[in-house]
Amino acid sequence: MMLTRERLEDILMKITSVKIAVYGDLCLDIYWHADMRISELSRETPHFALPVVEERIYLGGGGNVAANISALRPKRVMASGTAGEDWRGRELMHLMHGQNIDTQYIVRAPHLITNAFCKPLRRGISDTVYEDPRLDFANTRPLGEETEAALIKALDAIAENADILCISDQLPVHVYGAVTDKIRARIIKLAENGLPVVVDSRDRVALYAGKNIIVKPNEIEAARAANITADDLGQSDPALALSQSREVIMTNGPRGSVYASGGKCVRIPARKVPDPIDTVGAGDTFISAFALATAAGASRIEAAYFAGLSGEVTIQKIGMTGTATPQEILAWYDKTHA
C-alpha cells in the first residue's frame, strides 16, 4: 500500500503548518440556470429571452487551486495574479476573502478584465439540461509593462513567504494571462534558487524545465509537450519523455497518475469512482493536494496518492467546481480501503 491511514492522518496534520502560494490565472466559473418555461419572445428582437432563475459562482483556474488549498487548512495560502475593477473582480475578491485566502498580492487595475467562464444552462419542460456556448471574459490586449512589473514584485513577495509555489498557467495563447515570458523566466529562477515549484499548464508545459520544477500535465497535455501524436501514445510514455529536464506528475483519469523523474517512472493507481462524476476542476484539486503534501514532507509517491484521493472526492460533486476537505478525504479512504 502506498499510503496507510496513519500516514494519511500525519500528512493532513503537517499540512496545517504549511505556507503556500498560488500565482497565475485567477478565474471565476459562473453557472446561469435559465427556466425556458417562463421565457417570452422579445418585442425588440426575434429571440426568446433566457430567464435566469439561479446563479452559481465559484473560483476557477488559479482561484480554484487556492480554494482547494484553503479547504485542506494550511497555515497560510497566498494568491497572486490579475483582476479587474469590474463586477467579476469584486466577486473574485469576495469569494477569496470568504475562504481565508490572502489577496493582498493580487494586482488590480481598471484596464484589466477579470477572467471568467460563464455557462448558460437551459431547462424546459423535461429535466434535461442543455448547455449553451460558454461566454468567456479574458484580456485580449497585453497587460502592459507597469502591470507586469507589479506582478513580478508580487510574485517575489509571495515566494519569499511560501514553502512551495503553485503556478496556474491556464489561459490559451490568444489571450493574455498572468504568466508572461518574463514572469515565467522569473518563476524558473525562483525554483533554481531553491523554492519548490509545481506547475499546471495546458499549452506551455514544455516551457517549464529545471531544478525544483515539477509539472502536472494530464496525458494529452504531456503528449503535446513531448511532441507525441495520438497514434504514438501506445508506444511512447509522455511522462518519461518530459522527465529528462524536470519532474513530472502526470494525471491519467481513472488510471491514476504517473510520477517520472530522470527517465524513470512510478504508476500510482486510482480507485473506482461510481457514476455520475464531474471532472471540472479535478486537476486543480490534484495540484493543490500534491503541493501541500510535498511541502508537508511527503514523498512524491505519497503526495501523488494523496492528490488522487482528493481528486476522487471532488469529481463526485456534480455541477460545481468543488473542493476536498480533510474529513471527506479520510472518509473516502476508509470507504475504498476497507
Side-chain angles (χ1 to χ4, degrees):
M1 184 180 296
M2 292 183 171
L3 194 65
T4 65
R5 195 183 198 281
E6 181 181 16
R7 181 61 176 142
L8 175 59
E9 291 176 334
D10 182 53
I11 291 170
L12 286 167
M13 181 192 68
K14 289 179 177 176
I15 281 174
T16 61
S17 298
V18 171
K19 294 179 292 182
I20 184 168
V22 179
Y23 179 88
D25 299 320
L26 309 177
C27 307
L28 291 177
D29 286 336
I30 303 175
Y31 297 82
W32 287 321
H33 292 265
D35 187 347
M36 299 308 295
R37 294 172 300 177
I38 59 174
S39 179
E40 294 183 353
L41 182 63
S42 169
R43 295 186 180 184
E44 294 81 15
T45 65
H47 299 291
F48 281 87
L50 271 64
V52 176
V53 296
E54 181 185 359
E55 179 182 55
R56 294 182 292 117
I57 305 178
Y58 303 96
L59 292 170
N64 190 42
V65 174
N68 273 274
I69 288 171
S70 182
L72 289 171
R73 302 172 188 168
K75 183 175 182 179
R76 185 182 182 189
V77 52
M78 297 162 280
S80 181
T82 63
E85 295 181 357
D86 44 38
W87 65 269
R88 297 173 307 283
R90 292 189 292 273
E91 188 64 29
L92 178 80
M93 302 297 282
H94 172 73
L95 289 173
M96 285 195 164
H97 292 158
Q99 298 185 52
N100 298 314
I101 299 166
D102 188 341
T103 63
Q104 65 177 301
Y105 304 104
I106 295 175
V107 175
R108 301 186 68 185
H111 74 281
L112 295 173
I113 294 175
T114 305
N115 306 308
F117 305 104
C118 308
K119 304 169 186 179
L121 304 168
R122 301 188 191 209
R123 175 173 289 171
I125 296 173
S126 73
D127 290 333
T128 303
V129 176
Y130 295 89
E131 184 171 340
D132 278 11
R134 199 176 69 194
L135 306 175
D136 291 357
F137 292 86
N139 291 286
T140 56
R141 297 178 182 178
L143 303 181
E145 292 183 4
E146 185 176 340
T147 299
E148 185 178 53
L151 285 169
I152 292 174
K153 182 178 180 180
L155 173 62
D156 287 344
I158 59 173
E160 185 177 350
N161 290 286
D163 301 312
I164 194 165
L165 173 63
C166 286
I167 301 299
S168 180
D169 187 355
Q170 295 293 320
L171 296 183
V173 295
H174 60 274
V175 300
Y176 293 88
V179 186
T180 64
D181 291 342
K182 189 173 182 179
I183 289 173
R184 188 177 299 106
R186 183 60 185 159
I187 291 166
I188 294 171
K189 186 66 175 179
L190 289 169
E192 290 174 352
N193 289 340
L195 179 66
V197 176
V198 187
V199 178
D200 192 4
S201 179
R202 291 185 179 177
D203 299 322
R204 292 171 281 270
V205 173
L207 300 181
Y208 293 91
K211 179 182 176 183
N212 289 326
I213 292 281
I214 308 170
V215 295
K216 188 222 69 68
N218 60 32
E219 185 180 33
I220 300 302
E221 293 162 350
R224 190 184 304 127
N227 294 317
I228 297 172
T229 66
D231 293 337
D232 294 332
L233 265 178
Q235 291 75 41
S236 302
D237 190 324
L240 277 177
L242 288 175
S243 69
Q244 301 301 325
S245 56
R246 83 270 294 159
E247 292 183 74
V248 181
I249 178 67
M250 183 183 76
T251 57
N252 210 358
R255 288 175 289 177
S257 59
V258 176
Y259 172 72
S261 178
K264 299 179 180 180
C265 73
V266 177
R267 301 187 181 277
I268 298 96
R271 288 132 300 276
K272 173 65 176 176
V273 180
D275 290 330
I277 64 171
D278 186 342
T279 60
V280 172
D284 298 334
T285 302
F286 191 97
I287 190 176
S288 304
F290 180 86
L292 280 171
T294 298
S299 70
R300 300 290 195 261
I301 307 306
E302 289 176 328
Y305 197 90
F306 174 73
L309 288 167
S310 303
E312 289 157 10
V313 168
T314 60
I315 65 175
Q316 297 178 63
K317 299 181 178 182
I318 309 302
M320 66 174 67
T321 312
T323 61
T325 67
Q327 292 80 8
E328 290 171 329
I329 294 168
L330 288 168
W332 177 243
Y333 182 95
D334 291 340
K335 184 176 181 178
T336 55
H337 293 73

